[in-house]
Amino acid sequence: MLRRLALTAVVPLAVLAAAVPASTATASGAASSGPVPSAAPTSGPFAAARPALGPLPMPLPLPGFLDGGEGTDAGEADEARTRLTVSVENTGVPGADGTFQLECGPTGGTHPEGQAACDRLAEAGATRAGRQELFRETPEGTMCTMIHGGDAFARIVGTWEGRAVDTTASRRDGCEIARWNSLVPVLPDVR
C-alpha cells in the first residue's frame, strides 16, 4: 500500500516535471523574442517543490511488517510453524473422537485428514480476515440462533503461523455451529 502511494505521487510529478520544460521550449521558439511566463513558481514556498529531472528511483522491497507479512517465502515459513493438538469428543462419528496432532510444512502428525486440514489452514491464512477470524471465539453478547447442533466439543491448542492458539469449539448454537463448520476438516464434519 505504501509503495503504491509513493509511486502514485512520484510518477505524476516526474511526468509533470518533464512536460513543463518541454512546453516552455515549444512556446519560446524562434518567433518568440523574450521569456515566456511559466506556470511553475520561481519564488515562494512552492518553488523548491519541482522535482529534479532524471530516472525514477527503483522501489525498495518493503519489510515484512509493511507488506502484510507476505514476503516471498512467508507462506512456506508460516506453514512450517503450524503445530496443533486437536482434542474432539462427543461427535457421534466413528473414529472422529480423540486427540490428534497436526503438523503442517511438511504434513505430519496423527490427524486423520492431515493434508486437507493443512490446506484449510493455508487457505484461511492467505487472507487477512481468515488470519483474524479462524480461531476467534464468538464474542460475548453476540445474537445467535438457538439451534442445538449436538454435544460435540473440541479444543485446539498449539501454534498456527507462528501465533499461539488456545480455543474451544462446540455446536451449542448457530454461531458455534458456523464456527465449527469453518474449521472443517481441522475438526470432523459432523453435519
Side-chain angles (χ1 to χ4, degrees):
M1 178 80 177
L2 290 175
R3 183 178 5 195
R4 272 194 221 142
L5 182 61
L7 286 177
T8 55
V10 171
V11 171
L13 286 175
V15 170
L16 181 63
V20 169
S23 65
T24 57
T26 307
S28 63
S32 163
S33 61
V36 176
S38 171
T42 57
S43 64
F46 298 111
R50 184 172 167 204
L53 296 177
L56 291 175
M58 292 299 293
L60 298 173
L62 294 174
F65 65 89
L66 288 178
D67 68 357
E70 298 174 9
T72 53
D73 296 320
E76 295 169 11
D78 289 343
E79 189 176 11
R81 296 183 294 165
T82 297
R83 180 172 287 144
L84 298 172
T85 301
V86 181
S87 300
V88 182
E89 57 188 46
N90 299 326
T91 61
V93 177
D97 292 353
T99 299
F100 308 102
Q101 302 297 321
L102 176 63
E103 296 177 17
C104 299
T107 303
T110 58
H111 194 283
E113 296 184 47
Q115 185 59 52
C118 288
D119 291 345
R120 172 65 185 116
L121 292 173
E123 175 188 339
T127 65
R128 175 173 283 171
R131 288 190 301 268
Q132 293 173 348
E133 299 293 328
L134 185 64
F135 292 111
R136 181 180 289 174
E137 295 189 16
T138 304
E140 193 69 34
T142 302
M143 302 278 291
C144 301
T145 58
M146 298 306 297
I147 300 172
H148 184 68
D151 294 326
F153 180 82
R155 180 167 185 196
I156 304 171
V157 179
T159 305
W160 176 58
E161 293 189 348
R163 288 177 232 139
V165 173
D166 186 356
T167 189
T168 59
S170 69
R171 298 181 63 81
R172 70 174 179 256
D173 60 32
C175 295
E176 286 295 304
I177 291 170
R179 188 165 168 261
W180 182 289
N181 291 343
S182 75
L183 287 166
V184 171
V186 177
L187 298 179
D189 190 357
V190 294
R191 293 181 243 185

